[in-house]
Amino acid sequence: MKKLLHFLFVVSIMMLANTKSFAQGFTLTGATTNTPTIQNCDPYVTINISALNYSNSNADFNLALLGTNFTACQLSISVNWGDGVTTTHSGSTSTVGSTISWNPPIQHFYATAGMHQISITAYNPQNGSTAVLNLYFLQTICYDLQAYIYLDCNNDGNYESTLGNVPVTFSGPNGFSTQANSNTNGYANTAGTASGNYTASIDPTWLLNNGYVLSSNSTTLLDLNSTTANITDTAFLILNCNTNTNNLCLSGIVFCDTDGNGILSASENAIANSPVQISHNGTNYQVYTNSNGQYSLNYAGNVGAPTIVSLNSIWLTQNNYTATSPINSLTATSCTNPIPFNIPIVCGAAGNNPSLCAAALVFCDANGNGIFDSTELPLIGAPINFIGTNQTLITAYTDSSGFAILCGNYFSTNVVIAQINAGWLLQHGYTISNPILTVYASPVTTPNPGAFAVNCGGTTNSCTDLWTTVTPWIGYYQNQTNYIRLNFGNYGPVAPGNYTVTFTFPAGVTPIVSSINIPGYSISGNTITWNLNATQSSFSQSDVIQFNTPSGIASGTQHFFTSTIAPVGTVTDCCTTNNAGSLLQIVGNSYDPNDKTVDLEESISPVIQDELTYTIRFQNTGTAPAQNVHITDTLSSNLDWTTLSVVEKTHTMQLVDLGNGVIRFEFPQIWLPDSTSNEPLSHGHVVYKIHEKETNIPGSEIFNTGYIYFDWNPAIITNTTYNFNSELGLSELEMEVSVYPNPTSELVQVSSAITIESLELMDLSGKSLVKQVCTSDKTELNIESLSSGIYLLHVATSKGIVSKRIVKN
């Protein structure tokens, strides 16, 4: 939001009203504002007007029209901007205090700096009443440097995308030099710069390491010698891909690790024809080792981004081999500085050795003696971190008996470090004197566990841990019966006794009461409430509730479903961070049974560290049970990976942290039925929460995609979720950019108060579909050939990038 500076000006407010007696209608008696004068170097001024009370808006001026006999009515506004320009606007009031939508929006561009008096006259044609208000806008001079970085890989003049985290150097007079990294929208800028001539450049070493060259179509010179009101110049740095070579290299040797130390020695044998699987940025590769056991891959991507390396699991089983580290996450390196990665495996008869199992017991140590006594209770759902080979972190969760057991080829030694998750302890208000234990892994399914004696508060096991989530089910359309799944339960350590569950649905949507299977409910307004009782320390319930969604709702409309849970009696809840669930449904969205959703709308606040809740669903639609299921998820670099916590899972699960933001949700021995033989039980899901980075700046984007594997089949790739931190004052920019009609079946008209530089249309998976360069304030986009659905349109202007949701009929 622009900073408002008050000045000691006399504000002339004229309140004019027709003295006749009017029979009906809102009679205007005057107008008021709490910011009659502002100072800013931004030449764009926006005005927001509401009736009787101010509305919450990021406009430069917020006005309220005063009057009597308030009713809904049509109004007109005449604005003399004080620079020889007068505009008229029409709108209608309906609710006190809400923003009046004006056609066209009340906004103006000033070409010259100075003090401008803005005279506003409001008129109600129904009764002839008027009101006049004078405002003052002092426009000063800004000195900014900015650059946009675009990728035009094939040098055809169409931009594939913008590029983030690119180091841009601005150089100027008297040896001046400063650097700024571009954000995820490709925008880099500096403020407070002196006038003069400047150049924008990108470090040649960075370009070489990342496989780019600077296009000759780039504009690198910036001129800050202008005397206009807003001294801002923009460099357009267009990068082409270096077609001579891919920029990433990976190589190494696959060998039999006879001595088990993970290092290739002269006496150990390399293995020819080993299938090495490599994944980077969603692209999968498979290469084979040569006669010397060496593999190599030259591929395109981003230096520093995760690359996942593993050996083909079927090949390992067929050859009686065991991978020392089944899956590895590496940091991608450039071909100018490649780092070899050797892959050790256990060969021959050693491959028949059973997997090692490690275990831990977690309980409330009420009497503080460190022993799990018969009167004490286990802690359910406690995350235990086991340190595996190559410092891989694997999290197992305690069951209803308080045991967390981890079996598999995770350990190269019998001595294993186990640690109870510190964040989980903090959330529940628990403490422990021994958070780290040494446990001994053995080739049995029930090893002797290490014991985590937790101080749960006091000498009794007195608290419960209730949780709830809301997850999607099939699709969501207008004029149709839709399905929403409510989930809730208790992790203990004690039973909650009486507790309440609420489930809130959007206004206008009607529940089908016959589909509600959990008894004891009541409905008031748009909320379903259950007053329940439970004597179990561990339980979970779910109910798929049907809703009639009315017709006439535009595709793309957002519908939120939320749930809450809380104890009612004397029992307290140990952790309240999992007591609320939410689901965002987009009207007109078709959901695959293997999908990913996020609970927040696309635009999130740049001044709040938001917590995002992700749900990944999977369903076995094959013809036989799935023995093992795992999901690989590369977390966005704009998420705080340390804050990830699992809220709910439908089956026993292990969480493997491979580093570099790559996590794996493993469901070993799940034996998930196929949908033909048992449709209700063929579904599964995991729900987890994670915070965005506190340091995210406006424009930061968060993309997330899941890769679901059923046994050894190829990955099923989910949709891509998308969130972005709205630019400060983005509502101003959004008002300057109009997209219509929406929904549409063919043409999209795009207009702006400032010059449009480019358009890019993307699907919800993040794939770029259409790119278009513009040089005017109006253009159009033909989407007739696209399939029906929802798309994102990025409109780039000199003030930033606006993202608009487009619905194709």
Side-chain angles (χ1 to χ4, degrees):
M1 182 181 292
K2 298 179 179 178
K3 185 176 181 181
L4 305 180
L5 301 177
H6 291 273
F7 285 78
L8 298 178
F9 286 97
V10 177
V11 179
S12 173
I13 303 178
M14 299 177 59
M15 297 176 290
L16 304 178
N18 196 312
T19 59
K20 296 180 181 180
S21 176
F22 303 104
Q24 58 181 350
F26 179 32
T27 302
L28 298 175
T29 60
T32 184
T33 178
N34 57 358
T35 55
T37 302
I38 66 169
Q39 173 185 319
N40 207 291
C41 62
D42 189 337
Y44 293 91
V45 174
T46 58
I47 299 176
N48 172 74
I49 303 178
S50 56
L52 298 186
N53 297 325
Y54 297 115
S55 62
N56 186 16
S57 168
N58 289 329
D60 298 300
F61 294 99
N62 283 290
L63 279 62
L65 296 176
L66 306 178
T68 60
N69 190 30
F70 177 81
T71 57
C73 63
Q74 295 291 323
L75 297 172
S76 64
I77 294 288
S78 174
V79 184
N80 184 335
W81 296 97
D83 61 351
V85 176
T86 299
T87 59
T88 58
H89 313 264
S90 61
S92 61
T93 64
S94 59
T95 306
V96 171
S98 62
T99 296
I100 300 173
S101 178
W102 298 100
N103 183 26
I106 306 176
Q107 55 194 23
H108 186 61
F109 171 80
Y110 285 101
T112 59
M115 175 64 74
H116 304 283
Q117 176 178 310
I118 305 171
S119 297
I120 298 176
T121 302
Y123 174 66
N124 184 348
Q126 184 179 10
N127 53 35
S129 60
T130 60
V132 175
L133 177 64
N134 290 334
L135 308 172
Y136 296 90
F137 173 58
L138 177 59
Q139 184 182 355
T140 57
I141 297 177
C142 289
Y143 299 85
D144 292 330
L145 293 166
Q146 58 185 22
Y148 277 99
I149 296 87
Y150 293 100
L151 177 62
D152 179 13
C153 202
N154 56 8
N155 199 18
D156 64 353
N158 293 320
Y159 306 148
E160 284 85 23
S161 65
T162 57
L163 284 180
N165 204 30
V166 178
V168 180
T169 300
F170 296 100
S171 303
N174 302 318
F176 173 86
S177 179
T178 185
Q179 188 179 83
N181 285 355
S182 63
N183 63 19
T184 51
N185 289 327
Y187 176 66
N189 76 303
T190 64
T193 308
S195 62
N197 294 319
Y198 293 82
T199 59
S201 61
I202 300 175
D203 182 9
T205 302
W206 185 93
L207 290 170
L208 177 64
N209 290 341
N210 289 274
Y212 299 126
V213 294
L214 189 64
S215 170
S216 59
N217 295 324
S218 299
T219 302
T220 60
L221 298 178
L222 302 100
D223 181 6
L224 293 190
N225 293 304
S226 173
T227 58
T228 57
N230 189 20
I231 300 184
T232 303
D233 208 351
T234 304
F236 294 92
L237 305 178
I238 304 170
L239 304 186
N240 304 143
C241 293
N242 188 342
T243 56
N244 296 325
T245 179
N246 287 319
N247 60 302
L248 301 179
C249 288
L250 180 64
S251 62
I253 297 175
V254 179
F255 66 97
C256 290
D257 189 19
T258 306
D259 55 16
N261 66 355
I263 301 174
L264 176 62
S265 61
S267 61
E268 292 173 334
N269 297 322
I271 307 173
N273 297 317
S274 304
V276 181
Q277 296 176 326
I278 301 167
S279 177
H280 181 82
N281 281 355
T283 302
N284 299 315
Y285 309 90
Q286 182 163 289
V287 296
Y288 292 84
T289 57
N290 61 19
S291 58
N292 296 318
Q294 296 177 329
Y295 73 92
S296 63
L297 178 67
N298 184 215
Y299 58 109
N302 300 321
V303 173
T307 293
I308 302 172
V309 181
S310 62
L311 288 169
N312 185 284
S313 302
I314 298 176
W315 176 82
L316 287 169
T317 302
Q318 289 174 342
N319 289 275
N320 217 16
Y321 295 153
T322 302
T324 303
S325 182
I327 185 168
N328 306 274
S329 178
L330 312 177
T331 298
T333 56
S334 68
C335 294
T336 59
N337 187 31
I339 301 175
F341 180 74
N342 295 335
I343 305 176
I345 60 175
V346 179
C347 303
N352 292 322
N353 289 339
S355 302
L356 294 178
C357 297
L361 168 67
V362 185
F363 65 96
C364 278
D365 188 19
N367 58 17
N369 65 355
I371 301 172
F372 188 27
D373 299 315
S374 58
T375 59
E376 294 172 334
L377 298 176
L379 284 170
I380 305 161
I384 305 301
N385 302 329
F386 295 93
I387 309 300
T389 306
N390 297 333
Q391 299 300 304
T392 301
L393 189 69
I394 309 100
T395 303
Y397 298 84
T398 56
D399 58 19
S400 58
S401 300
F403 284 93
I405 301 176
L406 179 65
C407 297
N409 298 313
Y410 296 113
F411 312 117
S412 58
T413 175
N414 293 85
V415 179
V416 177
I417 301 299
Q419 181 177 12
I420 190 167
N421 186 280
W424 180 86
L425 289 170
L426 181 64
Q427 285 180 345
H428 289 74
Y430 297 155
T431 59
I432 189 171
S433 58
N434 58 335
I436 301 176
L437 298 176
T438 299
V439 298
Y440 295 92
S442 59
V444 294
T445 56
T446 56
N448 185 32
F452 288 101
V454 177
N455 176 10
C456 297
T459 58
T460 60
N461 304 301
S462 60
C463 66
T464 188
D465 185 7
L466 294 168
W467 60 267
T468 181
T469 62
V470 187
T471 51
W473 194 267
I474 315 176
Y476 196 84
Y477 297 92
Q478 57 95 13
N479 197 27
Q480 183 171 305
T481 299
N482 294 303
Y483 301 76
I484 305 295
R485 178 168 174 163
L486 169 68
N487 316 283
F488 60 91
N490 181 38
Y491 292 135
V494 302
N498 294 326
Y499 65 100
T500 299
V501 176
T502 66
F503 186 35
T504 302
F505 49 89
V509 174
T510 307
I512 300 176
V513 295
S514 60
S515 69
I516 304 176
N517 295 312
I518 301 173
Y521 66 88
S522 62
I523 301 178
S524 176
N526 62 331
T527 300
I528 308 173
T529 302
W530 289 265
N531 293 308
L532 303 173
N533 180 275
T535 58
Q536 308 101 319
S537 60
S538 172
F539 67 87
S540 64
Q541 282 188 271
S542 65
D543 197 357
V544 178
I545 302 177
Q546 300 175 24
F547 292 88
N548 282 327
T549 305
S551 60
I553 301 177
S555 295
T557 300
Q558 297 178 346
H559 277 185
F560 283 92
F561 293 81
T562 61
S563 63
T564 64
I565 189 170
V568 175
T570 58
V571 177
T572 59
D573 199 316
C574 313
C575 176
T576 59
T577 61
N578 54 6
N579 286 38
S582 63
L583 171 66
L584 170 60
Q585 292 283 68
I586 307 297
V587 176
N589 264 16
S590 177
Y591 286 93
D592 189 276
N594 300 285
D595 66 2
K596 184 170 186 177
T597 59
V598 63
D599 67 327
L600 299 182
E601 55 188 307
E602 288 175 3
S603 175
I604 58 179
S605 171
V607 295
I608 298 174
Q609 187 182 13
D610 288 287
E611 183 178 53
L612 299 95
T613 300
Y614 290 102
T615 300
I616 304 178
R617 300 190 308 152
F618 54 89
Q619 183 186 23
N620 179 11
T621 56
T623 57
Q627 177 179 344
N628 299 288
V629 175
H630 75 266
I631 304 168
T632 299
D633 190 351
T634 301
L635 301 174
S636 167
S637 59
N638 286 324
L639 293 171
D640 184 352
W641 303 337
T642 64
T643 63
L644 186 147
S645 64
V646 174
V647 179
E648 182 213 351
K649 55 195 182 301
T650 53
H651 301 78
T652 299
M653 188 198 77
Q654 297 159 2
L655 176 62
V656 182
D657 185 351
L658 298 166
N660 298 315
V662 181
I663 57 174
R664 216 163 91 133
F665 303 96
E666 296 188 345
F667 298 86
Q669 296 298 303
I670 188 175
W671 290 104
L672 191 69
D674 62 272
S675 56
T676 302
S677 61
N678 192 335
E679 202 283 335
L681 294 182
S682 65
H683 297 266
H685 65 252
V686 58
V687 181
Y688 69 91
K689 292 185 177 183
I690 187 169
H691 284 88
E692 66 167 329
K693 282 185 176 178
E694 189 177 9
T695 55
N696 282 351
I697 61 175
S700 299
E701 296 176 302
I702 300 174
F703 290 94
N704 258 75
T705 308
Y707 295 80
I708 305 171
Y709 296 83
F710 293 89
D711 292 327
W712 311 124
N713 296 305
I716 296 175
I717 304 175
T718 72
N719 58 292
T720 298
T721 62
Y722 174 69
N723 300 94
F724 71 98
N725 281 267
S726 300
E727 295 279 357
L728 291 173
L730 182 61
S731 60
E732 303 172 27
L733 187 54
E734 285 183 329
M735 287 192 295
E736 293 172 358
V737 177
S738 300
V739 176
Y740 56 91
N742 192 14
T744 184
S745 59
E746 183 178 352
L747 292 177
V748 177
Q749 304 291 335
V750 184
S751 64
S752 173
I754 53 179
T755 301
I756 301 170
E757 296 170 351
S758 67
L759 302 177
E760 181 176 18
L761 189 70
M762 305 176 71
D763 63 20
L764 292 183
S765 70
K767 179 181 179 181
S768 180
L769 303 175
V770 180
K771 297 172 291 293
Q772 191 169 303
V773 178
C774 309
T775 56
S776 67
D777 58 358
K778 291 183 180 179
T779 186
E780 66 180 21
L781 192 66
N782 193 327
I783 62 172
E784 184 179 12
S785 62
L786 298 179
S787 302
S788 298
I790 299 176
Y791 299 88
L792 294 177
L793 178 64
H794 297 316
V795 183
T797 72
S798 60
K799 292 184 64 179
I801 295 179
V802 175
S803 295
K804 297 283 188 178
R805 182 190 293 269
I806 302 295
V807 179
K808 168 70 185 327
N809 289 332

